């Protein structure tokens, strides 16, 4: 899997970071419009509030909202499912950090595509890991029927979200629903499986089968309000616990309910005061090259993320292509592991040693990934790179402290594994807009694939066919390593701006800060 260092030229020269940031902001603005002006008008004519405005109204004033994967489903389905039709994120409601999971009814009636399910499940996973109350703002037509085979039957499909709801509730993590619109089938189970339910009169509806299904199944003709209206469910069936006249009243009721939840979700102050970096994070736009072949010193990035630019480097004179050291972010102690070149055996050993130290000292780990892979070649293999790189992967896998990963550049090959890629369960994983993620770079992939073809053709290779294969492989790897391709498929928790990294990590660290830790002895072997 290791790509190793490459000296080939990239065929596509990436634009500078400033241009990439403009693209990112434009795309975020586009998806924030939901289903577009026409759908917005129809939604508002019905007296309904847009999903992001509902969230703004729900959150405590002057508190941040960490939206997750806003560009899910980007570029898929003809770009007609912005944000995958759902908004998820962490925000503060009545003084408690909560996970918000909110359907956007202006996008295909808030129905679930494969990426909607992934986004919903990922939000629940984060909520469960951090014991965050889940607030469901429900406005959902259930499974998007043309895509039902990618949404309904498997373990990590729609059913999995209900399993999560039941398990979280039983584990004492509150599950609360506020129903704004027509909730059918799976959409109905979100409130039905909640601990407490509020319904908005006139627009909120819950039915396992919508009127067309009822007609098809039992030939009964009934209107939606009679079948599953808010009054019926609050006064007759008991599916709902609170009836409210308006959405605003519903949001106020939800805040009141969260306010009486006890201590869950309450965050304590950071152990140390937060000291801003002395260097301006906006300078990262100039410092970080988007051409991944151009080296730069990752300590310039670290300095603009950590408190007071203060970084206590660990083993700086050994395995220098991996920078390791201690710092604080918004007053929380962290161990930082950042790439500064290809990973050699020495860098891998140092990384494993450092991870063990942080684990022993119960210091959360931050991985800043910009890696082509581990070193390849005879000298590296004879030096045991397979064994030494495996030690890093082993240490990452078994670290008990919370881990956070930011892709600040390339994320290639086994470097992705050793630097805590998604498979290694970081609590959160964010990308910068210049990130690239794949088994290897397009240049290396084209060389590998064409060489394999040449070998299988045993010398009879047709030059034109090989050139075509080269072109197609490059195009495939260019497309698939694009960060928007990745974020569309929920391989990360969102693309963030470099200058936001410190605040995003600070918020993530605060969520895990009060957790009980596994303090059973674990030695440091100095790998
Ligand atoms: N599957 C496929 N498409 C769906 C859908 C679903 N579950 N739910 C909504 N849509 C589509 C509609 O076809 C429409 O598509 P279009 O804009 O391309 O015409 C769009 O989403 C908006 O739906 P619409 O009915 O116009 O919106 P609404 O606000 O009046 O009503 C619902 C929203 C969710 C109440 C209503 O669409 C509904 O009841 N959907 C069907 C629910 C259902 O039977 N689900 C079973 C899932 S197992």
């Amino acid at each position: 899997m290791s790509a190793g260092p490459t000296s080939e030229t990239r065929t596509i020269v990436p634009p500078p970071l400033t241009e990439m940031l403009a693209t990112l902001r434009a795309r975020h603005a586009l998806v924030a419009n939901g289903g577009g002006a026409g759908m917005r008008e129809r939604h508002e004519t019905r007296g309904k509030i847009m999903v992001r405005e509902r969230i703004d109204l729900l959150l405590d004033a002057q508190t941040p909202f960490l939206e997750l994967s806003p560009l899910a489903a980007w570029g898929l389905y003809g770009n007609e499912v912005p944000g995958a039709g759902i908004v998820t994120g962490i925000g503060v409601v009545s003084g408690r950090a909560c996970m918000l999971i909110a359907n956007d009814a202006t996008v295909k009636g808030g129905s679930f595509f494969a990426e909607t399910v992934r986004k919903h499940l990922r939000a629940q996973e984060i909520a469960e890991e951090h014991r965050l109350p889940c607030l469901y703002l429900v406005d959902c037509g259930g499974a998007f029927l043309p895509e039902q085979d990618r949404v309904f039957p498997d373990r990590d499909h729609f059913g999995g979200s209900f399993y999560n709801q039941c398990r979280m509730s039983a584990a004492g993590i509150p599950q609360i629903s506020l129903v704004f619109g027509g909730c059918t089938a799976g959409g109905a189970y979100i409130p039905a499986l909640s601990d407490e339910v509020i319904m908005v009169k006139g627009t909120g509806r819950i039915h396992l089968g919508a009127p067309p299904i009822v007609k098809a199944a039992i030939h009964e003709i009934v209107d939606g309000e009679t079948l599953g209206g808010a009054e019926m469910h609050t006064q007759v069936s008991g599916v709902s616990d609170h009836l409210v006249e308006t959405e605003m009243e519903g949001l106020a009721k939800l805040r009141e309910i969260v306010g009486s939840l006890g201590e869950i979700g309450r965050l304590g102050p950071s152990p140390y005061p937060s000291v801003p970096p002395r260097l301006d994070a906006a300078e990262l736009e100039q410092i970080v090259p988007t051409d991944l072949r151009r080296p730069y010193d990752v300590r310039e990035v670290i300095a603009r993320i950590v408190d007071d630019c203060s970084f206590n480097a660990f083993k700086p004179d050994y395995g220098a292509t991996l920078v390791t050291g201690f710092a604080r972010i918004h007053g929380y102690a962290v161990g930082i592991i950042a790439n500064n070149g290809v990973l050699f055996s020495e860098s891998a050993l140092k990384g494993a040693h450092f991870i063990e130290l942080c684990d022993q000292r119960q210091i959360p780990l931050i991985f800043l990934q910009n890696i082509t892979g581990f070193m390849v070649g005879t000298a590296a293999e004879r030096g045991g790179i397979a064994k030494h790189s495996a030690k890093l992967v082993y240490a990452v896998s078994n670290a008990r402290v919370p881990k956070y990963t930011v892709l600040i550049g390339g994320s290639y090959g086994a470097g992705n594994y050793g630097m805590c890629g998604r498979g290694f369960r970081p609590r959160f994983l964010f990308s910068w807009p210049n990130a690239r993620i794949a088994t290897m770079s397009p240049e290396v992939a084209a060389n590998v694939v064409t060489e394999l073809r040449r070998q299988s053709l045993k010398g009879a290779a047709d030059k034109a066919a090989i050139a075509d294969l080269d072109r197609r492989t490059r195009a495939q790897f260019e497309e698939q390593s694009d960060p928007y391709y990745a974020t569309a498929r929920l391989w990360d928790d969102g693309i963030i701006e470099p200058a936001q990294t410190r605040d995003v990590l600070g918020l993530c660290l605060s969520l895990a800060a009060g957790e009980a830790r596994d303090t059973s002895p674990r030695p440091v072997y100095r790998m």
Side-chain angles (χ1 to χ4, degrees):
M1 299 291 274
S2 297
T6 171
S7 58
E8 289 88 345
T9 44
R10 285 172 62 91
T11 41
I12 296 176
V13 179
L17 198 47
T18 311
E19 206 174 302
M20 288 185 171
L21 287 172
T23 303
L24 177 67
R25 287 170 196 159
R27 291 181 178 182
H28 278 155
L30 199 70
V31 299
N33 269 330
M39 291 306 284
R40 179 185 191 123
E41 194 186 335
R42 194 177 79 145
H43 188 78
E44 290 178 339
T45 311
R46 294 170 169 177
K48 295 173 83 176
I49 303 173
M50 293 292 283
V51 63
R52 283 188 172 74
E53 290 167 38
R54 285 175 183 159
I55 290 172
D56 284 347
L57 291 162
L58 180 64
L59 296 176
D60 290 1
Q62 311 294 324
T63 58
F65 178 58
L66 177 60
E67 185 172 343
L68 301 167
S69 299
L71 295 172
W74 177 263
L76 300 171
Y77 316 104
N79 240 355
E80 281 186 5
V81 191
I86 193 166
V87 181
T88 62
I90 297 154
V92 181
V93 177
S94 300
R96 287 153 184 83
C98 297
M99 178 60 76
L100 275 52
I101 302 181
N103 310 113
D104 185 347
T106 67
V107 178
K108 297 289 174 195
S111 58
F112 273 59
F113 292 68
E115 293 71 24
T116 324
V117 173
R118 277 183 69 92
K119 194 164 162 178
H120 189 109
L121 292 177
R122 174 69 187 135
Q124 289 181 319
E125 183 182 30
I126 293 168
E128 185 165 13
E129 204 162 23
H130 297 91
R131 293 188 65 79
L132 303 176
C134 292
L135 311 182
Y136 301 91
L137 307 188
V138 202
D139 210 339
C140 171
F144 182 73
L145 292 172
E147 292 282 325
Q148 67 92 25
D149 62 329
R150 299 178 62 225
V151 171
F152 175 67
D154 207 354
R155 193 193 82 151
D156 291 329
H157 284 176
F158 218 168
S161 72
F162 305 125
Y163 173 83
N164 290 341
Q165 244 183 283
C166 299
R167 304 279 297 186
M168 275 194 277
S169 171
I173 304 170
Q175 309 288 304
I176 304 164
S177 280
L178 168 49
V179 178
F180 294 96
C183 301
T184 305
Y189 261 124
I190 300 172
L193 290 170
S194 291
D195 302 324
E196 201 162 346
V197 179
I198 309 161
M199 283 187 83
V200 180
K201 192 172 159 184
T203 46
R205 285 193 195 144
I206 298 175
H207 25 56
L208 286 191
I213 301 178
V214 173
K215 187 177 170 197
I218 62 167
H219 310 296
E220 181 185 323
I221 296 178
V222 61
D223 65 278
E225 192 59 23
T226 309
L227 187 65
E231 282 174 286
M232 187 283 285
H233 275 314
T234 319
Q235 294 159 4
V236 180
S237 74
V239 169
S240 163
D241 308 302
H242 308 276
L243 178 71
V244 291
E245 296 289 328
T246 63
E247 293 200 5
M248 289 300 285
E249 199 187 312
L251 291 164
K253 186 77 205 167
L254 184 52
R255 287 182 52 77
E256 192 187 333
I257 292 171
V258 176
S260 51
L261 283 181
E263 287 307 300
I264 194 159
R266 278 204 179 280
L267 303 180
S270 60
Y272 302 95
S274 169
V275 183
R278 281 172 279 112
L279 297 169
D280 187 357
E283 292 166 358
L284 291 173
E285 279 184 51
Q286 273 67 52
I287 292 169
V288 177
T290 53
D291 182 345
L292 300 182
R293 290 169 311 148
R294 272 186 50 205
Y296 70 100
D297 191 344
V298 75
R299 279 169 288 225
E300 297 287 344
V301 174
I302 295 171
R304 286 164 178 81
I305 291 178
V306 301
D307 285 7
D308 201 26
C309 300
S310 173
F311 181 65
N312 175 14
F314 171 75
K315 243 175 155 71
D317 301 323
Y318 183 85
T321 57
L322 190 67
V323 172
T324 52
F326 300 97
R328 290 178 193 153
I329 295 179
H330 278 295
Y332 296 98
V334 290
I336 295 181
I337 305 189
N339 300 115
N340 221 16
V342 67
L343 284 162
F344 294 93
S345 284
E346 293 78 13
S347 2
L349 289 174
K350 168 177 159 179
H353 183 178
F354 183 70
I355 290 168
E356 288 184 339
L357 274 187
C358 290
D359 197 47
Q360 182 204 51
R361 298 175 188 177
Q362 297 174 45
I363 297 174
L365 286 158
I366 309 272
F367 294 82
L368 301 178
Q369 275 203 20
N370 179 21
I371 183 67
T372 49
F374 288 96
M375 189 61 196
V376 295
T378 313
E381 297 295 353
R382 288 176 64 85
I385 188 79
K387 175 175 75 173
H388 296 312
S389 64
K391 288 174 186 167
L392 179 60
V393 174
Y394 189 97
V396 169
S397 305
N398 286 300
R400 296 164 297 181
V401 290
K403 299 170 286 187
Y404 306 88
T405 302
V406 187
L407 309 191
I408 64 169
S411 175
Y412 291 115
N416 168 288
Y417 305 157
M419 291 295 294
C420 200
R422 208 48 178 304
F424 297 83
R425 313 291 194 272
R427 294 288 184 107
F428 291 89
L429 186 149
F430 296 100
S431 308
W432 284 3
N434 56 315
R436 314 289 296 176
I437 178 167
T439 48
M440 56 189 77
S441 70
E443 295 76 30
V444 177
N447 283 335
V448 171
V449 170
T450 52
E451 188 52 33
L452 287 172
R453 177 62 61 83
R454 274 198 199 93
Q455 282 173 14
S456 69
L457 292 175
K458 296 195 174 62
D462 171 343
K463 265 190 173 174
I466 292 287
D468 185 52
L469 182 61
D470 181 288
R471 185 190 52 72
R472 280 188 287 116
T473 307
R474 275 173 204 269
Q476 180 203 344
F477 274 71
E478 281 292 350
E479 183 197 356
Q480 294 180 350
S481 55
D482 188 279
Y484 293 95
Y485 188 94
T487 205
R489 289 159 181 76
L490 282 295
W491 298 346
D492 61 23
D493 293 310
I495 302 178
I496 58 170
E497 300 189 13
Q500 297 170 331
T501 307
R502 170 179 162 80
D503 289 348
V504 167
L505 287 174
L507 197 150
C508 295
L509 287 162
S510 72
L511 299 176
E515 285 173 7
R517 300 250 188 269
D518 175 0
T519 55
S520 53
R522 184 161 309 173
V524 174
Y525 288 112
R526 299 179 56 85
M527 291 276 190

